[in-house]
Amino acid sequence: MAEKKIGRRTFLRRAAVGAAASSVFGPVYAQTTRRVRWQMATSWPKSLDTIYGATLLLGRRVAELTGGRFTIEVHPAGELVRPLEILPAVQKGTVPIGHTAAYYYTKLHPALAIATALPFGLTARQQNAWLEHGGTELLNKELFEAFGLLALPAGNTALQMGGWFRFPVDRAADFRGLRMRIPGLGGEVLRRIGVKTVTLPGNEILPALEAGDLDATEWVGPYDDEKLGFYKVATYYYYPGWWEPGPTLHLVINRRAYERLPREYREALVSAARDANAWSLAAYDRKNPEALTRLLANGVQLRPFPQDFLKLAFREAENLYAELASEDATYRKIFNDWNKNRTLLFRWFSTNEASYADFAFRLF
Amino acid sequence: MAEKKIGRRTFLRRAAVGAAASSVFGPVYAQTTRRVRWQMATSWPKSLDTIYGATLLLGRRVAELTGGRFTIEVHPAGELVRPLEILPAVQKGTVPIGHTAAYYYTKLHPALAIATALPFGLTARQQNAWLEHGGTELLNKELFEAFGLLALPAGNTALQMGGWFRFPVDRAADFRGLRMRIPGLGGEVLRRIGVKTVTLPGNEILPALEAGDLDATEWVGPYDDEKLGFYKVATYYYYPGWWEPGPTLHLVINRRAYERLPREYREALVSAARDANAWSLAAYDRKNPEALTRLLANGVQLRPFPQDFLKLAFREAENLYAELASEDATYRKIFNDWNKNRTLLFRWFSTNEASYADFAFRLF
């Protein structure tokens, strides 16, 4: 087609006229002057500056997008609500909004884990592909709505590391009897292959390692792990953290509160959540390499998990999903959709992306 | 810390009071009633529904975030501006905003290619990590500002495929004398290793293959390639498309026009660009696997490029970057920052993410 040329001066004049004459040329949409101030409870201590930083970004974006008329004051873990009680607090309306990981609440429903991450599940990019194109809609319809919640992806830590071990683990049999700090479904899988799993909050892990009460622990990845100092006691750093291949953190919003918001403020929340989702993954990808370089300079031994251990863990994870699916129709419906996507995405990523990674990532 | 419990009724009452009394409790920020209507020129035909779809999403998000007061009418390639002239048109103010790939304009400055993709460069996630945490700021300061532009990442096609060949290529020597449609820096690298490169628009490629005037062509990936029907003539489908490992498409905005916008509208553009960036990558990741399944069912032969070809191409690409860096200080500054990030990111991704991919992606 032909190019329609408009000179620069013409354009700038038109833009100025359009602006000045807006009330003449067309209807201006109903505009809100309401000022809304929300408090947000989160599961994160301020020291996790990547995840907590994503919640601060989210709050800032909402204010920027609404000219400061809709503000969200972000609170770290425990300040408004206990860190693992965000979802029920937002459900009850104690706070209108929260930032947390859905898999903390599997006692409320086992399918909540699928919203965050499953062992041997989707990487961050695959998770975003599923959530953005069908997954988030499905999870809200089948799961979060029943809690009176709207849940939006709003953070990702990237594939986590396998964790810190006081001695090498060379084969699957070495894991039997091992005392390891690991919560959630990863912990359940490890329990089934003989690991003595323990759940401990972040600040109690290093003392337990130092006292010899723990043989191993997982946490997040190089950047977050470095701050907690595990490397001083447990020098073998294993990968990959197959139990959390690309965990999604969620913004959970009380539906009644959400529906009372002016439309523009709802849209601001949607975009601010996407901003936080992209920013946090990029932050981990950008900060982990430098942290790992520092850790290696401190004598950390970086090692891959043994293959027979991965195979055994994968079998147990699949058994666990089959059990959960047989027990609950909602779990079955969400898992089957997720699993269909996993098969397609894994096959596709095993060709093009994997072959590029094989060649390029080892060039330097 | 102690949990501060507020009952649900109390919260809802407070929220309602807060809303009703907004004008009493605090200052409401200056609010714009301006109506702004922009035309956006893009490089994309409507048939590229992933990329063009991302520009439509971008326009819709801007309207949703501003209550319909700021609207952007999106135009496909050629309707307002010729597809490869978007950047100069926005620079001149012919249109205030455009969506394009910066590497189309390397004749204006060779460093524009770095904003999109370099051969053997960053994958989509690595590209986002770099751009989000320093890269976009650097590119704007050192490069786009000189054109009077603000450029925001607003789309990604994911790693592209190597393309369609009429016969197998088993070693680097098989590429000598091959007639291949491939533009840009990838084409320049291939030219240096003996390929006779050709630049042709999308609609002329299939006829040239059918007439025997071309031996091979690249385009994008399974989803986009399928529509153009190359598989009917050239049945060998090679990967990876190392010349475009995670190309970023940009929203380019005329700075003078941008600075005249009310602050909220500027912020809406920033979030809408991020929405499009995330959505398009997820769309490609979600749609490519199903397209590849269909192509394989149609007899397509999927093959990895030979290793000696990859090695030779990598050496030539590095030579090319060294030449460009020696000739231009701006190129050198941007390339060095990008290259430092590439080294860090490749090393990190070669451990954790690569080992998970090696094990997990081949499970199904």
Side-chain angles (χ1 to χ4, degrees):
Chain A
M1 272 175 246
E3 188 178 327
K4 218 164 73 189
K5 277 241 174 183
I6 311 171
R8 181 197 186 171
R9 283 205 193 144
T10 317
F11 153 64
L12 290 173
R13 204 177 333 117
R14 279 192 200 172
V17 168
S22 61
S23 55
V24 178
F25 277 133
V28 174
Y29 280 52
Q31 190 167 16
T32 185
T33 54
R34 265 176 64 186
R35 186 156 186 187
V36 178
R37 283 188 277 191
W38 276 8
Q39 306 291 317
M40 179 158 89
T42 75
S43 297
W44 324 117
K46 287 184 180 178
S47 58
L48 278 178
D49 61 354
T50 30
I51 307 184
Y52 187 71
T55 68
L56 293 176
L57 173 83
L58 199 155
R60 198 170 68 241
R61 289 303 295 151
V62 165
E64 285 167 348
L65 286 164
T66 62
R69 293 184 300 284
F70 179 21
T71 55
I72 295 178
E73 198 183 327
V74 177
H75 295 271
E79 205 169 278
L80 290 182
V81 175
R82 278 191 288 267
L84 305 185
E85 293 180 12
I86 305 293
L87 195 145
V90 177
Q91 180 186 10
K92 280 182 289 197
T94 310
V95 284
I97 194 164
H99 195 277
T100 189
Y103 68 0
Y104 291 153
Y105 311 95
T106 45
K107 278 185 186 157
L108 301 178
H109 199 292
L112 284 163
I114 309 175
T116 312
L118 289 185
F120 300 103
L122 306 174
T123 63
R125 241 178 84 180
Q126 295 167 346
Q127 177 84 349
N128 284 340
W130 176 57
L131 291 174
E132 183 95 43
H133 294 271
T136 291
E137 203 184 327
L138 179 74
L139 287 164
N140 273 296
K141 188 164 162 275
E142 300 294 331
L143 196 58
F144 290 109
E145 272 185 22
F147 291 94
L149 298 173
L150 172 69
L152 301 172
N156 199 303
T157 68
L159 173 66
Q160 302 198 356
M161 285 287 283
W164 302 88
F165 290 70
R166 290 156 51 102
F167 41 80
V169 277
D170 296 326
R171 62 193 71 80
D174 294 348
F175 287 80
R176 227 167 284 142
L178 193 94
R179 297 161 303 167
M180 181 171 180
R181 182 268 178 198
I182 175 170
L185 280 180
E188 174 60 22
V189 170
L190 286 186
R191 203 188 53 72
R192 289 174 178 221
I193 63 177
V195 174
K196 291 183 177 153
T197 64
V198 177
T199 306
L200 280 179
N203 58 345
E204 293 177 25
I205 302 172
L206 185 61
L209 282 168
E210 281 170 335
D213 296 335
L214 273 185
D215 302 313
T217 186
E218 60 84 57
W219 185 241
V220 183
Y223 182 73
D224 291 335
D225 293 7
E226 186 186 23
K227 288 184 236 166
L228 294 190
F230 306 134
Y231 66 92
K232 293 169 195 159
V233 185
T235 54
Y236 296 91
Y237 198 21
Y238 277 89
Y239 62 87
W242 47 262
W243 44 89
E244 307 198 59
T248 295
L249 312 171
H250 276 88
L251 185 69
V252 287
I253 313 166
N254 181 293
R255 277 200 172 258
R256 287 168 54 119
Y258 181 76
E259 279 152 20
R260 283 162 190 237
L261 288 175
R263 166 100 193 261
E264 287 163 68
Y265 295 1
R266 281 183 252 155
E267 299 297 351
L269 278 176
V270 168
S271 276
R274 255 218 206 90
D275 286 342
N277 202 50
W279 182 90
S280 59
L281 178 62
Y284 274 107
D285 285 345
R286 184 62 193 76
K287 291 177 179 199
N288 275 329
E290 286 169 345
L292 183 63
T293 305
R294 289 190 297 270
L295 288 167
L296 292 174
N298 274 317
V300 164
Q301 302 290 313
L302 188 64
R303 302 211 171 173
F305 276 137
Q307 289 287 310
D308 65 341
F309 166 66
L310 296 179
K311 282 179 194 160
L312 191 61
F314 174 66
R315 269 206 303 280
E316 286 302 338
E318 296 297 298
N319 290 341
L320 178 58
Y321 306 148
E323 288 169 28
L324 290 166
S326 74
E327 287 162 9
D328 185 275
T330 300
Y331 188 96
R332 196 158 54 243
K333 187 164 188 177
I334 297 170
F335 179 81
N336 286 348
D337 184 74
W338 176 91
N339 204 29
K340 187 193 75 186
N341 278 274
R342 177 171 63 155
T343 303
L344 274 169
L345 287 161
F346 275 15
R347 282 186 190 158
W348 164 237
F349 274 76
S350 75
T351 58
N352 200 29
E353 294 278 350
S355 79
Y356 184 72
D358 279 349
F359 180 79
F361 296 173
R362 292 178 189 120
L363 287 170
F364 300 103
Chain B
M1 274 177 242
E3 188 177 329
K4 216 162 74 188
K5 277 242 175 183
I6 312 171
R8 179 198 189 172
R9 281 202 196 148
T10 317
F11 153 64
L12 290 173
R13 206 178 330 118
R14 279 191 199 172
V17 168
S22 61
S23 57
V24 178
F25 276 133
V28 174
Y29 280 52
Q31 190 166 17
T32 184
T33 54
R34 265 177 65 187
R35 187 157 186 187
V36 178
R37 284 187 277 191
W38 275 8
Q39 308 290 315
M40 179 158 89
T42 76
S43 297
W44 325 117
K46 287 186 179 176
S47 58
L48 277 179
D49 61 353
T50 29
I51 306 184
Y52 187 70
T55 67
L56 294 176
L57 174 83
L58 199 155
R60 198 171 67 242
R61 290 303 296 153
V62 165
E64 286 167 349
L65 286 165
T66 61
R69 292 183 300 283
F70 179 22
T71 55
I72 295 177
E73 198 183 326
V74 177
H75 295 271
E79 207 170 277
L80 289 183
V81 175
R82 280 191 287 268
L84 305 184
E85 293 181 11
I86 305 293
L87 195 145
V90 177
Q91 180 186 11
K92 280 182 289 195
T94 311
V95 284
I97 194 164
H99 195 277
T100 190
Y103 68 1
Y104 292 153
Y105 312 95
T106 44
K107 278 182 187 159
L108 300 178
H109 198 290
L112 285 163
I114 310 175
T116 312
L118 290 185
F120 300 103
L122 306 174
T123 65
R125 242 178 82 180
Q126 295 167 347
Q127 177 83 350
N128 285 339
W130 176 57
L131 291 174
E132 183 96 43
H133 294 270
T136 291
E137 203 184 328
L138 179 73
L139 287 164
N140 274 297
K141 187 162 162 277
E142 300 294 331
L143 195 58
F144 290 108
E145 271 185 22
F147 291 93
L149 298 173
L150 172 70
L152 301 172
N156 199 302
T157 68
L159 172 66
Q160 302 199 355
M161 286 286 283
W164 303 87
F165 290 70
R166 289 156 51 101
F167 41 79
V169 277
D170 296 326
R171 63 192 71 81
D174 294 349
F175 287 81
R176 229 168 284 143
L178 194 93
R179 296 162 304 166
M180 182 170 179
R181 182 269 178 198
I182 177 172
L185 280 180
E188 174 60 23
V189 170
L190 286 187
R191 202 187 54 73
R192 289 175 178 221
I193 63 178
V195 174
K196 289 181 180 154
T197 63
V198 177
T199 305
L200 281 180
N203 58 346
E204 294 177 25
I205 303 172
L206 185 60
L209 283 168
E210 281 171 334
D213 296 335
L214 273 185
D215 302 313
T217 186
E218 62 82 56
W219 185 241
V220 183
Y223 182 73
D224 290 335
D225 293 6
E226 185 187 23
K227 288 184 234 165
L228 294 190
F230 306 133
Y231 66 93
K232 292 168 195 160
V233 185
T235 54
Y236 296 91
Y237 198 20
Y238 277 88
Y239 61 86
W242 47 261
W243 45 88
E244 307 199 59
T248 294
L249 312 171
H250 276 87
L251 186 68
V252 286
I253 313 166
N254 181 292
R255 278 201 171 258
R256 287 168 54 120
Y258 180 76
E259 278 153 20
R260 284 162 189 237
L261 287 175
R263 168 99 194 262
E264 288 163 69
Y265 296 1
R266 281 182 253 155
E267 299 296 350
L269 277 176
V270 169
S271 276
R274 257 218 204 92
D275 285 342
N277 203 49
W279 182 91
S280 58
L281 179 62
Y284 274 107
D285 285 345
R286 183 63 193 75
K287 291 176 178 200
N288 275 330
E290 286 169 344
L292 183 62
T293 305
R294 288 191 297 271
L295 288 167
L296 293 174
N298 274 316
V300 163
Q301 303 289 313
L302 188 65
R303 302 209 171 173
F305 276 135
Q307 289 287 310
D308 65 341
F309 166 66
L310 296 179
K311 281 177 196 159
L312 191 61
F314 174 67
R315 268 205 306 278
E316 286 302 336
E318 295 296 299
N319 290 341
L320 178 58
Y321 307 147
E323 287 168 29
L324 290 166
S326 74
E327 288 161 9
D328 185 275
T330 301
Y331 188 96
R332 196 159 53 243
K333 186 163 187 180
I334 298 171
F335 179 80
N336 286 347
D337 183 74
W338 176 90
N339 204 28
K340 188 192 75 187
N341 277 274
R342 177 172 64 156
T343 303
L344 274 168
L345 287 161
F346 275 15
R347 283 187 189 155
W348 164 236
F349 275 75
S350 75
T351 58
N352 200 28
E353 294 277 349
S355 79
Y356 183 72
D358 279 348
F359 180 79
F361 295 173
R362 293 179 187 118
L363 287 170
F364 300 104

